[in-house]
Amino acid sequence: MQVSKDKQWEMLRTLLLARSFEDALVELCKVQGKIPGMMILCTGQEAVGSGVCAALSPEDVILTNHRSHSHLLAKGADPRTLMAEIYGKATGCNRGKSGTLHLAVPEVNAPCTTTVVGGGLPLAVGFAFAQMYRQERTVTVCFFGDGAADEGSFHEALNLASLWKLPVIFVCENNLYAGAQRYEEHTRVQNVADRAGAYAMPGEIVDGNDALAVYEATRRARERALGGLGPTLIECKTYRCRGHGESDPQHYQPREEIQMWTEKCPLPRLHGEMLAQGLITPQELEALQAEVDRLVQDAVRFAEESPYPEPHEALEDVLVAS
Amino acid sequence: MQQLGMGQAVNQALREEMQRDSRVFIAGEGVGVSIHDSPMLPTAGLLGEFGPGRVKDTPVSEAAIAGLAVGAAAAGLRPVVEIMFNPFFTLASDMIVNHAAKLRYLSGGKSTFPLVIRMKSGAGFGAGCQHSHNLEAWVAHCPGLKVIMPSTPADAKGLLKAAIRDEDPVIFIEDMMLYFAPGPVPEEPYLIPIGKAEVKREGSDVTVVTWSKMLGVAMQAAAQLAEEGIDVEVVDLRTLVPLDKETILQSTRKTGRLVVLHEASRTGGFAGEICAVVMEEAFGSMKAPFRRVTGPDIPVPASPPLERFYIPDATKLVAAVKEIV
């Protein structure tokens, strides 16, 4: 089935935005004292967030993980408040409480980012249960990595979601590395998706660098979920082009492997096809790139100019009422 | 007034709140169809009344049960889930400690997590340490959680109803021995506010601060000591977090003496927190060193004489009081 021009534009825009956003972070996090904590990027994996989110409605929920930036931007999070949060500023989407690792944007139904590996999967069961309980026409997507599939929470969540036929789409972003371990060093089954059968749900393997393929797989899983048929496990095969975090020298990743995957970059993959099919002109592509770059520059400026929270604000937001 | 065990009181609270608010559902291992069939148990009869859509029997999956609660609460429901025994908290602890307790903070106050995790606890059944292990101090140490540990059926009912209506995550720990110790429970609807201790016995010579099943031990010891002319005030915390410092301080300033009694083991136990609060804020009023009466620093043993040795009793409390009066 042909993906509409509008959808392709939407995906291309979020791909470019996520890359531009993170390219800015690559430089900003090198400046001493500018950005606190770790910097974990999804460069080269953006087609997963873009493809999945393009297949969702605004009311659908996504739960993401430590490698969250492209998921959140694709779901429609405001780059300004994201960037301000990454800076630790008072204007950040979480008032400085979350930093880059736990960005929560409930206003676009991306209510929490959990960095406990595998932590999102049981939460997805809860969000999807609420959707079913209220008979909503919505689904919950949980993004997780190949490492998370080794956690007990993966097993418990998939089993329960399948048992109750909950409207969940489990999206495994298999970037071939969990920390410093290559996939075959931490998992014996050839594909994470092979495990779906153990939970009586479909397991679909897609090229995670092909936004269109990810979009199509998500659309099918969503239809299934809304039809009352329960969850789907989608494994997006992709690659972690940068280290686990920016301080990771990647000494265990072969140079030629990084090179090979860099050449499979999902951005030219999509705009190359769109150009070839006449869905976008070179001038339009240039303008789109300029537009997202402006958004990112504006976000950086907003973050730079924003104040830090007052120290006593650390005491706020623990409980609703104590 | 009706006489109910704590399980029956909890049952009434669940039933009333489920009738009142369609967002409330319960889930856990055997909350619908249990391996026990007793009207004394907290979820007896609820499946029949509310159906399998709202009374969810789950697989043996504590992380998924707790995750279900956290996600559903964030999405606007009011989950009340059961972790069968307090020691199994460890299996659910990531969802409770890292998620239920922290996600509101991480959202900058945008999200709320109105959920209740009920756990059965307490020694006295000969079940041994993997079923009997009171971990209230662990959860009390996690900012972002409220911790309730009722001592009477009436308190359990009113506090659970308040917990279900509360906007924050609440850990609600029920001592199973209390399921089989009926007490009066008002017939008319009522709530008991979270964070309010209650003086269960007024006295002038020494304050005993306690909670849960140990209230019975405290009352028994107080009666014995009264015969010897020692007037004990018994403060039942009911809620550990938020802690009702005011009631503790008011009592200790009056009596000038403090003994804290809990069943959980000693090192790192919540008695240390109570002692520290009184030390910091009422030292000038105190006439004697504080005492703790607690379980020893061992896992709860199974054999009856060993288990009896573990559980603090009135004799131990009486001895501790006499040391400082």
Side-chain angles (χ1 to χ4, degrees), chain A residues 242-260:
Chain A
R242 304 189 70 85
H244 172 73
E246 286 303 282
S247 61
D248 175 353
Q250 297 181 279
H251 49 289
Y252 49 88
Q253 286 177 266
R255 294 294 114 184
E256 52 277 18
E257 183 182 89
I258 298 174
Q259 183 56 36
M260 183 188 81

Side-chain angles (χ1 to χ4, degrees), chain B residues 155-229:
Chain B
D155 283 355
K157 182 176 175 184
L159 282 163
L160 182 55
K161 285 167 65 83
I164 293 170
R165 297 184 196 189
D166 199 82
E167 295 298 325
D168 291 308
V170 177
I171 307 296
F172 194 91
I173 304 176
E174 302 156 16
D175 192 297
M176 277 185 302
M177 292 295 274
L178 300 173
Y179 287 180
F180 307 100
V185 176
E187 315 266 348
E188 65 281 3
Y190 65 97
L191 297 171
I192 293 177
I194 295 171
K196 294 280 177 234
E198 186 177 56
V199 176
K200 287 285 200 302
R201 185 188 196 282
E202 287 194 21
S204 54
D205 294 330
V206 57
T207 298
V208 172
V209 173
T210 192
W211 53 93
S212 188
K213 180 171 67 199
M214 287 297 112
L215 175 69
V217 172
M219 297 301 274
Q220 195 190 341
Q224 284 180 30
L225 287 161
E227 288 173 13
E228 300 178 39

Side-chain angles (χ1 to χ4, degrees), chain B residues 265-266 295-301 306 309-310:
Chain B
S265 53
R266 193 175 190 83
D297 283 333
I298 55 171
V300 175
L306 302 182
F309 172 81
Y310 178 91

